[in-house]
Amino acid sequence: MDPLQLLVGGLANGCVYGLLALGFVLIYKATEAVNFAQGDMMMFGAFMTLSLVNQDGYNLPFGVGVCIAIAAMAVLSYVLEMTFIRRLFGQPQFSVVVLTIALGFVLRFIAGLIWGHEPQSLETPFAGRALTFGSIVLGYDDIVVIVVTLLLVGGLYLFFIYTRVGLAMQACSQNQLAAYYVGIPVKRLSSIVWAVSGVTATIAGVLFAAKGTIDPASGLLGIKAFAAAVIGGFGSLPGALIGGLIVGVVEPLAQFYAPTGYSQIAPYAIMLLVLVVRPAGIFSQVAQKKV
Amino acid sequence: MTLLAVDNLKVMFGGVTAVDGFSFDMTRGEVLALIGPNGAGKSTVFNAISRLYAAASGRIQFDGRDITRLSAHRVAGLGIARTFQNTELFEHATVLQNLLIGRHTARRTGLFRHLFFTSAVRREEIAHRECVEEIIEFFDLQAYRHSLITALPYGVRKIVEIARAVASEPELLLLDEPASGLSAEEASDMAFWIQDLQKDKGISILMVEHNMALVGRTADRVVALAEGRLLAAGTPAEVQQHPDVIEAYLGVSADNTQSVSGG
Amino acid sequence: MRYHFRTSYAQEIRPYQDWRQLLWYVLLLVVAAVAPFLLDEYLLGELTHILIWALAGLGLMLLAGHCGMVSLGHGAFLACGAYMQYNLVNMSVPFILAIPLSGLFAGITGALFAVPALRLTGIYLAIATLALGAIAEDLIIMLEPWTGGVEGLYLETGSVYAIEFDRYAQQIASASPGHNFYWLCLLVVTCVTLGYINLLRSATGRAFSAIRDSEISAAAMGIHIAGYKTLGFGLSCFVTGVAGALLAHFVGAFNYEAFNLLISIQLLLLITIGGIGTIHGAFIGALLLGIMPLVIVAVREFIAQLLGSGNMTIPGIDQAVLALLLITFIIFEPSGVHGRFVKVKTWLQLFPLARRQLFRRSRSYLKTDRLR
């Protein structure tokens, strides 16, 4: 197989990981909590889209279905934050870790109840078509994944730089208490961050389900996205995306060139390597705790 | 006799030079106060001595030994104890437990004997406990022996932190703003503790302090620091009169101040 | 209310408050020791399983509760102990000697893993261990010569001088089958617990909790942070590894699936529900986790009878119930069942003087140790 072909497929996969990682990083930056349920949120969003769009579901037009699913997931994430996470404000990080893991399990269970445990595929208008450049086949789905990711990341960037909410989020992530004092509604803001990360999760889920199949256990993909986020540096948005791309590209290459089994381990091996060499990730701002 | 010698110390954060070629000496048994406006690099000097920050260049000698490259826990083992500006106590533990952690460098038993709690460990634990009790008495902390740190008022926490540092039986005690956040009464108590520590326990004390009344009462010598450089050194009165010090604090030259007050 | 009036420092460093408390624990131990004569084979098996889980829980408790390091992949070290046990027994190392050796192997592996992981604080460590838990299965499959790969392996009955340590061996007629293995587990758990208690009341244990509360101040007190963190990780993995070795004998035949990520999460759940930071918590958590599936089955059958329909199996219901429990505890009682027990006890002792205020959690803001 052409290495370039592997690369293209890997990039598209990497975009999905990158989007997921972006969700982690968003929440981490704003509230210093890590959302271990991000993968399951992705799975949930994908299933919602699936039942809205597919022929044996509500059979809505693709765009409409996706928009409804995104909105629903945003609301769901907002409510999750408001009812569960917010109660742990200021509690040790350990609590939030355990809580989000548990939330992930519950989401997985609910998804299993509603949609069953069989892998399902999302019907998309761009499935099965492809462009060919010489020996390289570029699927429409791959192109859509890459383009959507780039648009989303650009949009988020503008959101953080130019909107009031975005600026307030930046303030929050720098110093929560100070943000309180200047009148930023910190609690509502962290709900909004969750909603935003729910949106990115859903988009990641749609892209993922469009390229392959999805089942309730797909949420475990989140762990790979963790590796991506760590590789890029947990506090950096562009880092998350690039970490995702690295993981996405390494996987098929390892699958093709290394003995079986190694491709599963490769992303984590890279992550551990990065942690040893540069503990705070590739794109990190390093400083020291002040005493 | 020189206990601590800081020679041409330089500390950098990224591109910013926080302390730039700062030198001072401290004799055994002395109380030395480090003063200077905010951001002068006083705490940075402290953190460099207790090896939480790495020095870019220069040398720090303690008791004739170069400690510039030692790790933080080794420095503590040599007999340098410290407190922190905003108190860094073990919040989920009682006062007693905090003080016992202060005895860490005095332990002589290791993991395996701890696992079986041998009679050597038992004896040592009781000895630690006796030593801590003495310190509790010294600082009048009897009422708080078993209270959790989270339940204590700020003033008491400050004392507990000093008590914890003293529990390790240090030769040199670094106090980072011992009187910050204390009421006038508490600050005056603090002055008594510092004098007692120097006289009864023979501990040399290096402190950073803004409260000039406290500095005037306790310090043998004062070193003034601004923008990471030495400004003046001498007795409290001398340093307070020093024109450079006045300028650093007020932002105007001493001549102007005089003409303003004269006119 | 009872006030403990102490007259010597020896009373202060002993692990129990007074003779009454000591009596209760001795009584508990005696009841546990005669359990094979009281319980039938099935229940004794469950109790053995609970003991093994409590042991694994003690391992994680030491790490998460007392050293303040979260491990989301402790199942990997459980596997480490289990597979090492198989290989040692295969190399004809005496069974009884193999158990601590397996633990030691897991402990050293853990300490080696900790050396790079040490540089990670909080969340990074959680993620690194999560990754370890996630690749544990793949690693087991890849290391086929030692692990039997996908097929798994079968561990033979361990025996010392004709005393068979097997789940089904019955050598005393009046006791339920599996009594020898149960007693072995009880012995190991008791020893580990005593060691744990001793550790906590000595300088090492204090150093652990100092690092948990404030690393910077611990270093200033002369505590070697990296050394103690590695030690804590190693000890924790040792205990978990011993539990893995016992688990290997308990289940007899196992493959990679026995050590998936879910096991690590269950361990985490165990210590959280039980009460993080307490030795009691590990036991209470193991007990609850052991009883849970039985309760779920009973409830399911009851509902099925009520509705008159036959099959009511919902896949994943066990996990969902556990997850919901976990959420409930984290939000309403972060100190777990043991914490609630202590509160109720205090309330009863103080009655009628107790005030709500006494148990209120202190408000706190996000205290960041993030680097910026």
Side-chain angles (χ1 to χ4, degrees):
Chain A
M1 211 169 168
D2 196 329
L4 215 57
Q5 180 71 51
L6 288 175
L7 202 70
V8 170
L11 278 180
N13 260 337
C15 283
V16 176
Y17 296 142
L19 280 183
L20 263 183
L22 212 61
F24 293 134
V25 173
L26 272 176
I27 291 179
Y28 180 72
K29 267 184 90 89
T31 64
E32 207 151 304
V34 175
N35 178 16
F36 281 82
Q38 191 79 19
D40 299 288
M41 275 159 64
M42 174 203 89
M43 175 272 298
F44 214 78
F47 265 120
M48 271 203 227
T49 319
L50 202 128
S51 58
L52 287 170
V53 170
N54 275 13
Q55 273 186 340
D56 47 356
Y58 290 93
N59 204 3
L60 292 175
F62 185 75
V64 178
V66 169
C67 287
I68 295 176
I70 286 177
M73 257 330 267
V75 171
L76 180 67
S77 314
Y78 191 100
V79 171
L80 276 182
E81 201 281 341
M82 214 169 68
T83 41
F84 297 110
I85 313 291
R86 189 177 289 181
R87 289 164 182 269
L88 296 186
F89 223 62
Q91 298 292 318
Q93 221 168 24
F94 171 80
S95 313
V96 185
V97 169
V98 176
L99 181 69
T100 51
I101 288 178
L103 279 178
F105 273 80
V106 173
L107 281 180
R108 206 173 304 164
F109 173 69
I110 296 173
L113 272 188
I114 302 177
W115 293 291
H117 291 267
E118 292 301 311
Q120 297 179 42
S121 189
L122 182 65
E123 292 156 13
T124 57
F126 43 83
R129 286 193 278 171
L131 291 176
T132 355
F133 298 102
S135 63
I136 299 165
V137 184
L138 203 54
Y140 267 33
D141 45 3
D142 288 340
I143 299 172
V144 169
V145 168
I146 293 170
V147 169
V148 169
T149 306
L150 289 179
L151 283 179
L152 191 64
V153 171
L156 277 176
Y157 179 76
L158 294 178
F159 172 75
F160 273 109
I161 301 290
Y162 290 112
T163 64
R164 272 178 75 89
V165 179
L167 284 174
M169 278 179 192
Q170 280 199 38
C172 254
S173 100
Q174 305 260 329
N175 189 338
Q176 208 177 34
L177 198 56
Y180 248 127
Y181 289 158
V182 297
I184 294 172
V186 175
K187 290 187 174 179
R188 201 186 327 147
L189 213 58
S190 76
S191 301
I192 294 174
V193 170
W194 270 70
V196 172
S197 105
V199 169
T200 60
T202 313
I203 294 174
V206 169
L207 299 178
F208 181 73
K211 273 173 62 68
T213 58
I214 194 149
D215 64 287
S218 299
L220 289 175
L221 199 77
I223 302 177
K224 240 175 245 169
F226 265 127
V230 171
I231 289 171
F234 223 86
S236 152
L237 289 176
L241 189 64
I242 290 170
L245 291 181
I246 291 174
V247 170
V249 169
V250 161
E251 237 180 352
L253 289 179
Q255 204 157 23
F256 195 67
Y257 292 108
T260 32
Y262 283 93
S263 73
Q264 292 291 323
I265 296 181
Y268 307 111
I270 293 181
M271 181 187 89
L272 288 177
L273 193 75
V274 167
L275 284 177
V276 171
V277 181
R278 262 189 84 96
I282 299 174
F283 294 86
S284 58
Q285 315 105 311
V286 177
Q288 235 168 339
K289 185 186 172 186
K290 197 168 153 39
V291 283
Chain B
M1 192 192 145
T2 309
L3 179 68
L4 180 76
V6 173
D7 184 29
N8 213 6
L9 179 71
K10 190 170 178 182
V11 182
M12 299 184 45
F13 298 116
V16 185
T17 309
V19 176
D20 191 6
F22 179 59
S23 311
F24 73 96
D25 280 353
M26 200 182 153
T27 41
R28 196 180 287 275
E30 170 178 55
V31 174
L32 182 72
L34 214 53
I35 64 163
N38 287 326
K42 305 176 301 277
S43 286
T44 311
V45 171
F46 257 49
N47 290 337
I49 294 172
S50 57
R51 295 292 301 111
L52 296 175
Y53 291 169
S57 67
R59 234 153 65 110
I60 304 169
Q61 276 185 309
F62 176 71
D63 214 1
R65 193 172 164 177
D66 192 345
I67 60 166
T68 325
R69 299 272 166 262
L70 287 185
S71 51
H73 68 273
R74 294 280 307 282
V75 171
L78 290 177
I80 299 181
R82 68 165 291 171
T83 66
F84 295 87
Q85 200 170 336
N86 296 314
T87 67
E88 284 277 332
L89 286 163
F90 307 113
E91 303 263 332
H92 301 291
T94 63
V95 170
L96 188 64
Q97 284 161 339
N98 265 281
L99 298 188
L100 280 171
I101 293 168
R103 299 288 302 155
H104 186 82
T105 48
R107 84 202 183 288
R108 293 288 166 268
T109 51
L111 173 69
F112 286 99
R113 283 198 269 183
H114 288 164
L115 279 177
F116 297 103
F117 216 78
T118 57
S119 53
V121 180
R122 187 176 300 275
R123 276 197 304 279
E124 195 178 80
E125 283 297 311
I126 291 176
H128 285 333
R129 188 64 185 78
E130 273 164 4
C131 169
V132 163
E133 198 57 42
E134 248 172 60
I135 289 163
I136 288 178
E137 207 159 300
F138 186 86
F139 285 98
D140 250 344
L141 287 169
Q142 292 92 337
Y144 305 108
R145 201 182 281 124
H146 292 289
S147 358
L148 285 177
I149 299 298
T150 38
L152 295 180
Y154 188 73
V156 180
R157 289 190 202 197
K158 280 267 183 200
I159 303 284
V160 172
E161 202 183 23
I162 296 176
R164 183 182 65 179
V166 172
S168 65
E169 297 178 338
E171 283 191 69
L172 174 64
L173 185 58
L174 309 176
L175 302 178
D176 200 347
E177 303 200 9
S180 75
L182 299 188
S183 68
E185 198 183 339
E186 286 170 324
S188 122
D189 282 348
M190 184 63 76
F192 281 119
W193 299 132
I194 291 172
Q195 283 167 342
D196 282 356
L197 281 174
Q198 183 190 17
K199 299 212 168 62
D200 298 355
K201 301 226 176 237
I203 300 173
S204 321
I205 296 171
L206 173 64
M207 65 176 172
V208 166
E209 186 51 66
H210 287 296
N211 183 336
M212 290 314 288
L214 179 75
V215 170
R217 272 175 65 184
T218 56
D220 300 315
R221 270 195 318 137
V222 174
V223 173
L225 185 69
E227 286 163 15
R229 289 196 183 81
L230 179 74
L231 268 190
T235 64
E238 279 169 21
V239 172
Q240 270 174 302
Q241 300 300 318
H242 200 283
D244 287 352
V245 176
I246 295 170
E247 188 191 334
Y249 270 95
L250 299 177
V252 286
S253 76
D255 306 334
N256 279 346
T257 338
Q258 268 156 8
S259 65
V260 168
S261 58
Chain C
M1 191 193 162
R2 194 181 302 142
Y3 185 76
H4 298 280
F5 187 74
R6 297 193 183 90
T7 49
S8 77
Y9 293 142
Q11 286 174 335
E12 202 155 59
I13 60 173
R14 70 186 179 189
Y16 51 92
Q17 283 183 331
D18 55 13
W19 61 270
R20 289 190 199 84
Q21 206 183 17
L22 183 65
L23 192 71
W24 279 114
Y25 286 120
V26 171
L27 211 64
L28 183 68
L29 197 61
V30 169
V31 169
V34 297
F37 300 102
L38 306 173
L39 301 175
D40 64 9
E41 184 182 348
Y42 172 70
L43 283 179
L44 189 66
E46 287 299 310
L47 198 56
T48 315
H49 201 190
I50 287 172
L51 278 180
I52 295 173
W53 269 94
L55 190 61
L58 279 175
L60 188 57
M61 189 69 87
L62 181 65
L63 191 70
H66 290 107
C67 305
M69 297 186 275
V70 186
S71 169
L72 304 181
H74 241 47
F77 299 108
L78 206 64
C80 219
Y83 283 107
M84 197 61 196
Q85 177 72 12
Y86 169 79
N87 285 300
L88 285 175
V89 169
N90 255 9
M91 286 188 283
S92 60
V93 174
F95 147 82
I96 220 81
L97 201 66
I99 292 175
L101 283 179
S102 304
L104 202 64
F105 176 72
I108 291 171
T109 315
L112 287 179
F113 176 77
V115 172
L118 273 179
R119 301 167 58 178
L120 320 176
T121 47
I123 218 66
Y124 283 96
L125 184 67
I127 292 168
T129 48
L130 181 72
L132 184 72
I135 59 175
E137 284 180 77
D138 298 306
L139 281 177
I140 291 171
I141 296 172
M142 278 168 70
L143 299 171
E144 196 179 341
W146 297 282
T147 63
V150 183
E151 302 275 297
L153 39 78
Y154 172 74
L155 195 57
E156 282 176 27
T157 300
S159 62
V160 183
Y161 298 119
I163 304 172
E164 289 190 354
F165 291 94
D166 189 291
R167 202 179 153 182
Y168 307 105
Q170 187 177 22
Q171 290 180 311
I172 300 173
S174 55
S176 298
H179 51 79
N180 283 342
F181 189 65
Y182 169 78
W183 279 323
L184 177 70
C185 290
L186 187 62
L187 181 73
V188 172
V189 169
T190 311
C191 289
V192 167
T193 309
L194 289 178
Y196 198 150
I197 293 171
N198 285 340
L199 201 67
L200 288 190
R201 57 185 176 136
S202 60
T204 310
R206 284 197 296 269
F208 283 153
S209 48
I211 293 173
R212 177 192 64 192
D213 280 4
S214 166
E215 273 189 30
I216 234 160
S217 148
M221 292 285 98
I223 294 168
H224 186 356
I225 305 275
Y228 275 98
K229 277 187 160 182
T230 314
L231 181 67
F233 217 101
L235 276 177
S236 160
C237 293
F238 169 77
V239 174
T240 310
V242 170
L246 290 175
L247 191 66
H249 279 285
F250 180 73
V251 294
F254 53 92
N255 69 352
Y256 69 100
E257 281 176 342
F259 303 103
N260 58 20
L261 195 58
L262 201 63
I263 299 295
S264 308
I265 305 298
Q266 271 187 13
L267 270 177
L268 202 64
L269 200 145
L270 186 156
I271 60 167
T272 315
I273 292 184
I276 194 146
T278 59
I279 296 177
H280 293 90
F283 287 92
I284 297 172
L287 196 66
L288 287 178
L289 220 60
I291 293 173
M292 195 69 55
L294 310 181
V295 174
I296 290 173
V297 168
V299 168
R300 196 158 58 202
E301 275 174 6
F302 177 73
I303 294 176
Q305 266 181 359
L306 215 64
L307 298 176
S309 63
N311 198 359
M312 273 278 298
T313 34
I314 304 169
I317 181 86
D318 293 23
Q319 292 167 30
V321 170
L322 290 177
L324 282 174
L325 259 179
L326 199 55
I327 294 174
T328 318
F329 269 99
I330 284 278
I331 290 180
F332 295 108
E333 189 51 274
S335 46
V337 173
H338 180 251
R340 172 56 64 180
F341 174 74
V342 169
K343 282 177 195 169
V344 170
K345 205 172 102 180
T346 317
W347 188 84
L348 287 176
Q349 281 176 345
L350 291 179
F351 186 82
L353 300 170
R355 293 278 175 276
R356 289 190 74 84
Q357 210 66 11
L358 191 62
F359 305 119
R360 224 183 55 178
R361 267 181 273 162
S362 55
R363 277 183 71 87
S364 55
Y365 285 97
L366 184 66
K367 219 175 131 184
T368 182
D369 48 22
R370 183 166 47 184
L371 315 168
R372 60 171 62 100

